């Protein structure tokens, strides 16, 4: 997406489904705090390529912040209170992260959102995230708030069965997506990130997903 189109889109909303919408540019006022927060979190809990239960290293590098962190290894997927790599609790959610998540959820019609986990994904050019559902949270109704930073990507939004058709959703730096209610359990993924250099993140796309786990 070019800069002019991005600027025109900023502040608008795209309704993807009944309870799923993109808030274009909603995170832009928070960008400095978000990038600083990611750096601080990654100092304490470094990005790593988790291994799937099938034994494959994931292309996306991940870390977490909040009371719970998403983990994967040969034993399965789960949320842990501490980072298995350091044995320490996950870094606390920065105030600016919580404020953005709450404001975006409210803007999308979900008042009083208080997430207890933030999964941070880092994509290098060429990295993709295959089609999946987020089903490891106890709370399957609370919305998920997703924040895109850095290189753009094409998000795939599917249906409730793996084989259902997908729509392609372009996501740019500063875009926020809120998914609630029924739409929460849709299959979704990310196409390989195209090579590029972003002024704020270099050769990387970051995605924060706020979740309510317990
Ligand atoms: C739609 N991350 O971390 S965020 C994930 O861009 C994940 O890194 C993607 O999928 C990323 O699990 C997409 C947007 C998102 C997150 C959860 C959803 C979309 C969703 C749950 C249901 C439907
Ligand atoms: Fe997901």
């Amino acid at each position: 997406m070019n800069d002019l189109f991005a600027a025109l889109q900023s502040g608008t909303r795209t309704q993807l489904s009944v309870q799923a919408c993109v808030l274009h540019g909603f995170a832009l006022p928070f960008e400095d705090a978000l990038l600083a927060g990611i750096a601080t979190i990654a100092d304490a809990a470094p990005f790593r390529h988790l291994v799937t239960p099938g034994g494959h290293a994931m292309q996306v590098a991940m870390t977490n912040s909040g009371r719970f962190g998403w983990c994967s290894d040969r034993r399965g997927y789960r949320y842990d209170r501490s980072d298995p790599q350091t044995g320490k609790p996950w870094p606390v959610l920065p105030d600016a992260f919580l404020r953005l998540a709450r404001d975006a959820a409210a803007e999308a019609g979900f008042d009083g959102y208080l997430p207890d986990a933030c999964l941070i994904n880092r994509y290098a050019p060429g990295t993709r995230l295959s089609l999946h559902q987020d089903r490891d949270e106890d709370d399957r109704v609370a919305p998920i708030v997703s924040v895109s930073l850095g290189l753009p990507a094409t998000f795939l939004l599917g249906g409730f069965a793996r084989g259902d058709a997908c729509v392609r959703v372009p996501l740019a730096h500063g875009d926020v997506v809120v998914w609630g209610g029924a739409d929460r359990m849709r299959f979704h993924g990310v196409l390989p990130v195209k090579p590029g250099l972003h002024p704020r993140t270099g050769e990387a796309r970051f995605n924060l997903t706020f979740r309510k786990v317990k």
Side-chain angles (χ1 to χ4, degrees), residues 38-60:
I38 292 170
T40 304
I41 291 161
D43 272 345
F47 282 98
R48 79 289 308 264
H49 296 273
L50 294 170
V51 173
T52 65
H56 300 285
M58 295 186 68
Q59 287 187 7
V60 178

Side-chain angles (χ1 to χ4, degrees), residues 35 47 49 59-61 121-128 149-153 173 192-207:
L35 293 168
F47 282 98
H49 296 273
Q59 287 187 7
V60 178
N121 293 330
R122 188 185 66 199
Y123 296 74
T127 299
R128 65 195 281 272
L149 293 169
L151 292 178
H173 178 72
V193 169
K194 295 201 179 112
L197 201 56
H198 190 276
R200 296 304 306 268
T201 66
E203 290 185 287
R205 169 179 189 257
F206 292 98
N207 181 267

Side-chain angles (χ1 to χ4, degrees), residues 54-163:
H56 300 285
M58 295 186 68
Q59 287 187 7
V60 178
M62 297 180 175
T63 187
N64 291 281
S65 158
R67 237 152 69 78
F68 299 99
W70 188 80
C71 302
S72 174
D73 61 20
R74 290 307 298 243
R75 302 187 339 251
Y77 306 127
R78 70 191 157 273
Y79 280 93
D80 266 344
R81 283 172 183 273
S82 53
D83 178 352
Q85 198 167 295
T86 64
K88 293 187 291 191
W90 294 105
V92 291
L93 270 167
D95 280 341
F97 283 34
L98 283 172
R99 236 176 302 126
L100 169 59
R102 189 198 54 208
D103 290 358
E107 182 73 18
F110 302 95
D111 281 325
Y113 184 55
L114 186 62
D116 54 16
C118 176
L119 172 62
I120 308 177
N121 293 330
R122 188 185 66 199
Y123 296 74
T127 299
R128 65 195 281 272
L129 182 65
S130 52
L131 217 56
H132 66 279
Q133 288 173 303
D134 291 10
R135 46 188 324 142
D136 302 319
E137 300 75 24
D138 291 351
D139 190 329
R140 302 266 183 100
V141 180
I144 288 184
V145 173
S146 146
V147 180
S148 291
L149 293 169
L151 292 178
T154 301
F155 177 73
L156 292 176
L157 179 64
F160 300 98
R162 184 175 292 280

Side-chain angles (χ1 to χ4, degrees), residues 154-180:
T154 301
F155 177 73
L156 292 176
L157 179 64
F160 300 98
R162 184 175 292 280
D164 291 352
C166 291
V167 295
R168 290 163 175 240
V169 183
L171 292 178
H173 178 72
D175 286 348
V176 177
V177 192
V178 182
W179 323 81

